[in-house]
């Protein structure tokens, strides 16, 4: 974002050194989505010196997956494209110094112009603000009040020393309510909270008497702990015994205290006598008045009859404050040391002596596809079968040598007679003496025999006459074969061929020959060069469902890219697909990023696709040849992956990515999704890609060479 939205940042230029030495520069780069692409900050960079590491000053892990390109119009600059899942990364390189170009001057001029524009804008804005302040000051001076009027009005105001401020008033009210909660900060709210009970102290005391004091380490039980359960647990507990209280107990075992004493018959007699001596006082009315007076005095001390607020003693307050530590009393129950939960109650109720049976009936087992019962008859039948790896080589033809010898025997080893084979009535007559059928004889009677010709003669039609060399061709015709064109008389001077057409199928071998020809027109297999295709996968060829193998080419002629790829692609019945890259080169960028084959079932077919990684492109695809299999590859015009390209029975079923090649990793080299062999020895396959088995690119040390 340019000034004034942000401060312009200029890269310091490096002058060329007088001793022709170089600068070593390090740039810190943040990657987005595991990728970075941009120009390096300085010019005239030595390509060989460019290194990328995950740490500063050539530390951390070296990253080799990057591409260097040169802009067409500024060849002194370098553009870099880095692929890594680490961020940030550090680029280190050497340069002899920067080159000042017109664009640098233009950027500086634009920045100066933007600064001048912003200064002028600020100057105009500031002048307007000063003029506005001057106008407002003039208005204030014109409208200010006279001192005499202000003093007179001030005398009408209350004196601060004798008047409470709002803050002071709030403080006084706060002292009255003593920081009470909002719901109880008025006298009416307090009275409502007490339910207008004139004797609230007695009511609270009565309610508290119904509560049980809390005991440290004890709490309420989740479930009622019944006597039956207590007895049941007591019988289960370790060390329990069944003790029974005797029918009679001696008084000596009872421990007496101040409140529990035995009395004698004499004492009981004296007390009964005192009861008979009870009487009424004649001054009971006086005693009652004294008692009532005392009660009234106490009530007057604790109750303000004219107030709605009742005062309580400190003892009552302390007692009421313990109400949160109380629980309701229940006759016959107290606090439990441990919480007795519903789960424990259910667990106890479900306890029983379970004895696991020694055997289970087979009907208890539920069979599935992997676990089936078999009968004894089935086992017997299966065990009687031959093992899975047996053969009949020595018992049956063609491996048994006795059978082979018997087949070769032509001397009738079984002494079969003609009667055995239904030819008992056949005579062993020679061919010349065999009779012919009546029909054949009737047909022969129409021909003249040599004897019947007698002296008629045979003319010159005897074979011994017209084919003396007995080669099956008339001798005169053989002479005609050697006649020169000039010796032919009566021939026309000009031959005009008749106009006619032929289908390809009418010419033997033409279609087969065409299938082996290079299918290249220079414009994408008959399609125009596709420009600026969006980033994504595109189908360039399909196979209908059987076999296909062919040689393809990809090219991009966009300025700055100029990418070329030659490769083979094959597919065989849904499970055997391969790609072999024969060549990959480029000038700068690489719009073609990946090549893959999508497939599914045996007869579902396949789609050959390419991935476009740069939406600035001019791409083509060609089928170069070797498309000789039964159904083969059929070219498609860069059909987006989401669209059915046609030529496949069920394109949506192609969900398996059978093989995929990354072109960025194969620059200038050869790669295959299969394996490489030298003679009969496998020299490469996907399982031997262990980096520790190979030398690293670049400088190696003595210790990196195995065996030293």
């Amino acid at each position: 974002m340019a000034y004034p939205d942000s401060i312009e940042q200029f890269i310091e230029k490096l002058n060329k050194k007088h001793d022709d030495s170089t600068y070593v520069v390090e740039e810190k780069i943040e990657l987005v989505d595991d990728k970075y692409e941009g120009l390096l900050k300085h010019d005239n960079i030595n390509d060989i010196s460019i290194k990328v590491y995950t740490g500063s000053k050539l530390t951390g892990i070296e990253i080799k997956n990057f591409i260097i390109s040169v802009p067409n119009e500024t060849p002194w600059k370098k553009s870099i494209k880095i692929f890594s899942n680490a961020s940030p990364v550090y680029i280190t390189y050497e340069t002899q110094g920067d080159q000042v170009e017109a664009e640098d001057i233009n950027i500086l001029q634009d920045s100066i112009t933007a600064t001048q524009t912003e200064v002028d804008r600020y100057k105009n804005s500031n002048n307007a603000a000063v003029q506005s302040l001057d106008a407002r000051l003039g208005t204030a001076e014109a409208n200010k009040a006279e001192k005499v009027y202000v003093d007179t009005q001030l005398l009408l105001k209350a004196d601060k020393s004798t008047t409470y401020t709002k803050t002071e008033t709030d403080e006084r009210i706060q002292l009255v309510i003593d920081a009470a909660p909002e719901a109880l900060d008025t006298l009416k709210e307090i009275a409502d909270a007490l339910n207008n009970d004139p004797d609230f102290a007695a009511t609270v005391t009565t309610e508290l008497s119904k509560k049980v004091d809390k005991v440290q380490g004890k709490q309420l039980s989740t479930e009622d702990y019944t006597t039956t359960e207590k007895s049941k647990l007591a019988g289960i507990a370790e060390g329990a015994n069944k003790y029974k209280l005797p029918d009679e107990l001696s008084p000596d075992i009872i421990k007496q205290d101040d409140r529990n004493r035995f009395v004698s018959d004499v004492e009981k007699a004296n007390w009964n006598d005192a009861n008979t001596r009870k009487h009424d006082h004649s001054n009971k009315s006086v005693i009652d008045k004294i008692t009532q007076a005392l009660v009234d005095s106490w009530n007057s001390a604790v109750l303000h009859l004219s107030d709605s607020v009742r005062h309580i003693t400190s003892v009552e307050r302390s007692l009421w404050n313990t109400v949160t530590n109380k629980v309701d009393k229940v006759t016959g129950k107290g606090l439990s040391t441990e919480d007795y939960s519903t789960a424990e109650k259910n667990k106890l109720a479900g306890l029983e002596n379970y004895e696991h049976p020694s055997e289970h009936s087979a009907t208890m087992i539920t069979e599935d596809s992997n676990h089936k019962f078999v009968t004894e008859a089935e086992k017997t039948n299966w065990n009687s079968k031959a093992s899975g790896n047996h053969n009949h080589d020595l018992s049956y033809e063609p491996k048994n040598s006795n059978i082979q010898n018997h087949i070769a025997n032509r001397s009738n080893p079984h002494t079969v007679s003609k009667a055995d084979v239904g030819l008992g009535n056949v005579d062993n007559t020679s061919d010349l003496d065999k009779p012919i059928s009546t029909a054949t004889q009737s047909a022969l009677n129409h021909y003249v025999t040599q004897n019947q010709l007698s002296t008629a003669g045979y003319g010159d039609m005897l074979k011994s006459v017209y084919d003396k060399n007995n080669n099956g061709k008339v001798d005169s015709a053989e002479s005609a074969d050697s006649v020169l064109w000039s010796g032919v008389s009566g021939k026309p001077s000009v031959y005009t061929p008749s106009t006619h057409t032929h289908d390809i199928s009418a010419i033997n071998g033409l279609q087969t020959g065409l299938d082996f020809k290079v299918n290249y027109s220079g414009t994408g297999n008959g399609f125009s060069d596709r420009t600026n295709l969006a980033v994504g996968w595109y189908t360039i060829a399909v196979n209908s469902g059987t076999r296909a193998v062919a040689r393809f080419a990809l090219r991009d002629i966009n300025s700055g890219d100029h990418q070329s790829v030659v490769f083979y692609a094959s597919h065989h019945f849904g499970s055997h697909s391969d790609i072999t890259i024969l060549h990959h080169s480029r000038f700068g960028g690489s719009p073609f990023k990946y090549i893959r084959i999508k497939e599914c079932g045996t007869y579902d077919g396949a789609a050959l696709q390419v991935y476009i990684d740069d939406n600035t492109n001019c791409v083509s695809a060609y089928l170069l040849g070797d498309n000789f299999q039964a159904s083969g590859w059929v070219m498609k015009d860069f059909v987006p992956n989401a669209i059915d390209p046609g030529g496949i029975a069920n394109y949506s079923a192609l969900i398996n990515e059978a093989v995929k090649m990354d072109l960025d990793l194969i620059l200038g080299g050869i790669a295959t999704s299969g394996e490489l062999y030298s003679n009969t020895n496998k020299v490469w396959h996907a399982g031997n890609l262990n980096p520790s088995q190979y030398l690293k690119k670049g400088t190696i040390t003595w210790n990196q060479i195995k065996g030293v």
Side-chain angles (χ1 to χ4, degrees):
M1 187 175 294
Y3 184 82
D5 297 313
S6 63
I7 302 300
E8 296 280 6
Q9 300 292 330
F10 294 98
I11 300 173
E12 182 180 359
K13 295 294 183 178
L14 302 176
N15 291 324
K16 183 176 181 181
K17 295 184 178 182
H18 297 293
D19 57 358
D20 291 333
S21 60
T22 59
Y23 296 91
V24 178
V25 180
E26 180 180 82
E27 295 185 24
K28 179 180 178 181
I29 299 298
E30 299 287 347
L31 276 69
V32 178
D33 296 332
D34 299 337
K35 182 173 66 175
Y36 170 81
E37 184 173 7
L39 291 172
L40 294 173
K41 293 181 179 180
H42 295 284
D43 307 331
N44 302 315
I45 297 171
N46 183 357
D47 291 357
I48 300 177
S49 68
I50 299 176
K51 303 291 182 182
V52 182
Y53 281 83
T54 58
S56 179
K57 298 180 180 179
L58 302 179
T59 61
I61 301 174
E62 183 179 3
I63 297 174
K64 298 182 179 180
N65 194 7
F66 63 87
I67 302 169
I68 301 298
S69 58
V70 179
N72 289 339
E73 298 181 356
T74 54
W76 52 87
K77 293 183 176 294
K78 293 291 189 297
S79 177
I80 189 169
K81 189 172 185 179
I82 305 174
F83 303 90
S84 173
N85 56 9
S87 182
V89 298
Y90 297 84
I91 307 172
T92 303
Y93 54 83
E94 296 178 1
T95 175
Q96 292 182 343
D98 290 316
Q99 181 167 332
V100 177
E101 54 186 288
E103 185 63 21
D104 295 329
I105 305 301
N106 293 336
I107 293 173
L108 182 59
Q109 289 175 342
D110 291 342
S111 179
I112 294 174
T113 300
T115 303
Q116 291 175 338
T117 302
E118 179 62 15
V119 170
D120 289 342
R121 185 200 64 79
Y122 180 78
K123 179 180 177 182
N124 295 333
S125 176
N126 187 62
N127 290 340
V130 171
Q131 291 175 359
S132 176
L133 290 175
D134 289 342
R136 292 169 62 187
L137 181 60
T139 301
E141 287 290 339
N143 296 332
K144 69 180 180 179
E146 295 292 337
K147 182 177 184 302
V148 175
Y149 172 78
V150 174
D151 292 341
T152 302
Q153 294 298 316
L154 288 175
L155 292 175
L156 300 177
K157 303 296 181 180
D159 192 352
K160 181 178 180 181
S161 61
T162 59
T163 305
Y164 281 125
T165 65
K166 180 181 183 301
T167 302
E168 292 171 333
T169 303
D170 292 341
E171 290 176 351
R172 299 294 293 179
I173 295 175
Q174 191 67 26
L175 291 175
V176 174
I177 63 177
D178 194 19
E182 183 178 355
L184 294 172
D185 59 0
T186 67
L187 296 179
K188 184 179 184 309
E189 289 173 342
I190 295 175
D192 292 341
L194 299 179
N195 201 24
N196 292 322
D197 187 353
D199 199 5
F200 184 70
T203 301
V204 173
T205 302
T206 300
E207 292 298 323
L208 286 175
S209 66
K210 300 177 182 178
K211 304 296 181 180
V212 179
D213 291 337
K214 285 187 176 180
V215 178
Q216 182 67 30
K218 296 185 178 183
Q219 58 184 345
L220 291 178
S221 174
T222 304
E223 295 292 334
D224 188 18
Y225 188 36
T226 65
T227 303
T228 301
E229 293 166 339
K230 181 177 180 67
S231 300
K232 185 175 182 180
L233 288 178
I236 297 174
E238 183 179 356
N241 60 77
K242 296 182 179 180
Y243 174 77
K244 183 178 181 182
L245 189 68
D247 295 334
E248 295 182 356
L249 294 175
S250 173
D252 297 334
I253 70 173
I254 306 301
K255 183 179 180 180
Q256 301 181 64
D257 56 24
D258 293 338
R259 297 178 60 85
N260 300 279
R261 295 282 186 184
F262 290 112
V263 298
S264 66
D265 291 337
V266 176
E267 290 173 323
K268 289 179 63 177
N270 290 336
W271 293 347
N272 290 334
D273 180 70
N275 182 58
T276 61
R277 295 175 186 273
K278 63 184 179 180
H279 60 279
D280 295 328
H281 291 279
S282 59
N283 61 346
K284 181 178 182 300
S285 61
V286 177
I287 296 174
D288 290 340
K289 291 181 180 179
I290 295 173
T291 303
Q292 184 63 46
L294 291 173
V295 172
D296 292 341
S297 297
W298 181 82
N299 286 338
S300 64
V302 298
L303 177 65
H304 294 288
L305 297 177
S306 59
D307 295 339
S308 61
V309 180
R310 303 293 187 265
H311 293 272
I312 61 175
T313 66
S314 60
V315 176
E316 290 173 329
R317 182 184 298 276
S318 299
L319 179 60
W320 295 356
N321 287 339
T322 64
V323 70
T324 58
N325 296 327
K326 304 293 185 180
V327 295
D328 293 336
K329 287 183 178 179
V330 179
T331 303
K333 297 185 179 181
L335 293 175
S336 173
T337 304
E338 298 293 337
D339 186 21
Y340 185 40
S341 65
T342 302
E344 292 170 329
K345 180 179 177 71
N346 295 336
K347 182 177 181 181
L348 179 61
L351 288 176
E352 63 180 26
N353 293 327
Y354 170 75
E355 183 177 353
H356 193 77
S358 59
E359 294 182 349
H360 291 287
S361 172
T363 58
M364 296 177 61
I365 307 301
T366 301
E367 297 181 81
D368 57 29
S369 59
N370 296 320
H371 304 84
K372 295 286 187 181
F373 290 113
V374 298
T375 65
E376 287 296 330
E378 289 174 325
K379 291 176 61 178
T380 301
N381 289 336
W382 296 346
N383 291 334
S384 66
K385 304 300 181 183
S387 62
N389 59 354
H390 73 288
N391 60 64
H392 303 279
D393 285 353
L394 301 179
S395 301
Y396 303 111
E397 205 278 329
K399 293 294 183 68
N400 188 282
S401 60
N402 292 330
I403 294 177
Q404 292 295 317
N405 294 334
H406 185 76
I407 293 173
N409 191 342
R410 297 292 186 269
S411 62
N412 193 12
H414 298 290
T415 62
V416 178
S417 65
K418 63 182 181 179
D420 293 332
V421 295
L423 298 176
N425 296 325
V426 177
D427 294 330
N428 292 328
T429 305
S430 63
D431 290 342
L432 294 176
D433 297 331
K434 287 180 180 179
I436 61 176
S437 66
T438 302
T440 302
Q441 184 61 57
S442 298
L444 292 175
N445 290 337
H446 293 285
Y447 294 92
V448 178
T449 66
Q450 181 176 351
N451 293 330
Q452 290 173 330
L453 289 175
S454 184
T455 58
Y458 302 106
D460 62 356
M461 293 304 295
L462 294 177
K463 186 176 185 298
S464 59
V465 176
Y466 63 76
D467 185 14
K468 295 179 179 181
N469 57 5
N470 197 30
N471 64 354
K473 190 174 183 181
V474 178
D475 295 339
S476 298
E478 288 183 290
S479 300
D481 288 341
S482 60
V483 176
L484 297 176
W485 178 251
S486 59
V488 178
S489 60
K491 60 180 183 292
S493 59
V494 177
Y495 292 89
T496 303
S498 60
T499 302
H500 61 281
T501 60
H502 294 282
D503 293 335
I504 292 179
S505 59
I507 304 176
N508 295 335
L510 178 58
Q511 184 62 60
T512 301
L514 291 176
D515 289 341
F516 283 89
K517 298 300 182 182
V518 174
N519 193 354
Y520 171 72
S521 64
T523 57
N525 192 27
F527 310 122
S528 300
D529 289 342
R530 298 296 174 235
T531 58
N532 299 332
L533 291 179
V535 173
W537 286 101
Y538 293 87
T539 301
I540 63 170
V542 297
N543 174 254
S544 60
T546 56
R547 300 175 294 270
V549 62
R551 180 163 45 95
F552 294 88
L554 304 174
R555 78 170 186 181
D556 176 83
I557 58 174
N558 185 61
S559 177
D561 295 334
H562 305 293
Q563 185 180 11
S564 300
V565 185
V566 178
F567 66 96
Y568 273 92
S570 63
H571 168 75
H572 293 80
F573 291 104
S575 61
H576 297 82
S577 295
D578 282 297
I579 296 175
T580 298
I581 307 297
L582 300 179
H583 177 73
H584 175 214
S585 62
R586 65 181 175 223
F587 170 73
S590 54
F592 292 109
K593 169 67 173 174
Y594 301 109
I595 305 174
R596 74 178 182 185
I597 296 177
K598 288 174 55 179
E599 63 184 20
C600 189
T602 303
Y603 299 101
D604 289 332
L608 177 61
Q609 296 185 329
V610 296
Y611 186 82
I612 304 297
D613 193 36
D614 187 346
N615 58 12
T616 302
N617 54 68
C618 183
V619 296
S620 303
Y622 310 106
L623 199 162
L624 299 181
D626 299 340
N627 192 20
F628 54 80
Q629 271 293 6
S631 56
W633 290 108
V634 177
M635 292 296 290
K636 297 296 178 179
D637 187 14
F638 287 94
V639 180
N641 180 55
I643 299 175
D644 188 343
I648 302 175
N650 187 6
Y651 177 71
S652 61
L654 304 186
I655 59 175
N656 298 333
E657 189 175 73
V659 60
K660 176 180 174 183
M661 304 295 286
D662 187 343
L663 293 175
D664 284 346
L665 303 178
I666 317 169
L667 186 60
I670 297 176
T672 180
S673 59
E675 301 173 341
L676 294 179
Y677 287 82
S678 175
N679 196 4
T680 59
N681 298 318
K682 184 185 297 184
V683 298
W684 183 92
H685 60 90
N688 65 7
L689 294 178
N690 185 354
S692 63
Q693 298 178 354
Y694 304 95
L695 293 177
K696 297 187 298 182
K697 180 181 179 181
T699 305
I700 61 174
T701 63
W702 180 257
N703 292 332
Q704 289 175 323
I705 303 176
K706 289 187 176 181
V708 298

